[in-house]
């Protein structure tokens, strides 16, 4: 029997790949297009925490994530192509006009807030496959290769 769990989605950390893997095992996830303080996310977090379910999220090397976030800003037309990496680093993340943009560029420590240290496991994108194998063991489910995953560095 597998453990009850919740995946706290964190943008630009392989979260789409992990979310697809979770769906296959019927593991619920938070939304990463809105903040964790948003009603649906907060209700999920509070419920799973109160029930002592297995909580986990994913992280990525901060430099690699920053570059990926900057690329996302341009690819999503949140900023134009002339927007430099230096300008990105000077952004006030809290003042982003688009909530989806904010959740994709805000530092993970700010996004996770009080939940940062209330989890049972952290997936490191740089060790993705070994982390996913360990997570499968922790959740008492058979290991299945999560498929498409991005572990490239900049």
């Amino acid at each position: 029997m597998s453990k009850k769990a919740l995946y706290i989605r964190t943008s630009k950390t392989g979260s789409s790949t992990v979310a697809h893997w979770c769906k296959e095992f019927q593991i619920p996830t938070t939304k990463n297009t809105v903040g964790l303080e948003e009603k649906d996310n907060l209700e999920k977090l509070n419920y799973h925490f109160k029930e002592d379910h297995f909580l986990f999220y994913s992280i990525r090397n901060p430099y690699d994530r920053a570059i990926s976030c900057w690329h996302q800003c341009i690819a999503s037309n949140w900023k134009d192509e002339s927007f430099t990496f230096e300008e990105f680093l000077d952004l006030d993340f809290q003042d982003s006009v688009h909530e989806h943009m904010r959740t994709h560029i805000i530092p993970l420590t700010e996004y996770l807030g009080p939940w940062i240290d209330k989890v049972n496991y952290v997936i490191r994108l740089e060790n993705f496959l070994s982390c996913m194998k360990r997570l499968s063991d922790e959740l008492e489910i058979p290991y299945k290769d999560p498929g498409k995953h991005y572990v490239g560095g900049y």
Side-chain angles (χ1 to χ4, degrees):
M1 173 131 190
S2 61
K3 291 181 184 176
K4 301 276 187 181
L6 175 69
Y7 175 50
I8 303 169
R9 289 192 67 176
T10 48
S11 299
K12 310 313 291 176
T13 62
S15 66
S16 294
T17 300
V18 177
H20 285 107
W21 181 87
C22 287
K23 185 175 183 180
E24 192 159 329
F25 292 102
Q26 299 179 343
I27 298 168
T29 68
T30 60
K31 298 176 192 170
N32 67 348
T33 55
V34 294
L36 293 179
E37 68 283 352
E38 185 267 339
K39 185 179 184 275
D40 288 344
N41 278 346
L42 194 55
E43 286 176 359
K44 275 185 186 178
L45 285 160
N46 285 327
Y47 168 76
H48 288 278
F49 184 72
K50 184 181 90 180
E51 294 294 318
D52 200 29
H53 293 169
F54 191 90
L55 305 179
F56 62 103
Y57 60 81
S58 49
I59 61 171
R60 183 180 194 175
N61 173 291
Y63 180 75
D64 289 344
R65 183 174 182 270
I67 291 178
S68 182
C69 292
W70 169 57
H71 284 240
Q72 177 81 41
C73 282
I74 295 168
S76 297
N77 292 316
W78 295 329
K79 298 290 181 181
D80 66 42
E81 289 185 13
S82 66
F83 186 63
T84 68
F85 184 61
E86 289 76 21
E87 290 172 315
F88 171 79
L89 293 175
D90 288 335
L91 272 179
D92 182 348
F93 302 109
Q94 296 299 336
D95 286 341
S96 298
V97 294
H98 192 281
E99 179 70 3
H100 189 187
M101 177 183 169
R102 188 180 76 77
T103 64
H104 276 64
I105 64 174
I106 191 170
L108 290 179
T109 53
E110 291 181 43
Y111 179 75
L112 290 164
W115 298 99
I116 198 165
D117 62 353
K118 292 183 172 62
V119 297
N120 304 94
Y121 190 65
V122 176
I123 299 166
R124 290 191 51 165
L125 187 61
E126 293 77 17
N127 301 323
F128 189 68
L129 291 179
S130 62
C131 285
M132 293 304 289
K133 286 177 185 173
R134 181 166 175 218
L135 180 62
S136 295
D137 290 343
E138 290 284 342
L139 295 177
E140 301 168 0
I141 56 178
Y143 173 73
K144 181 172 184 207
D145 188 311
K148 177 179 81 172
H149 46 273
Y150 300 100
V151 294
Y154 292 97

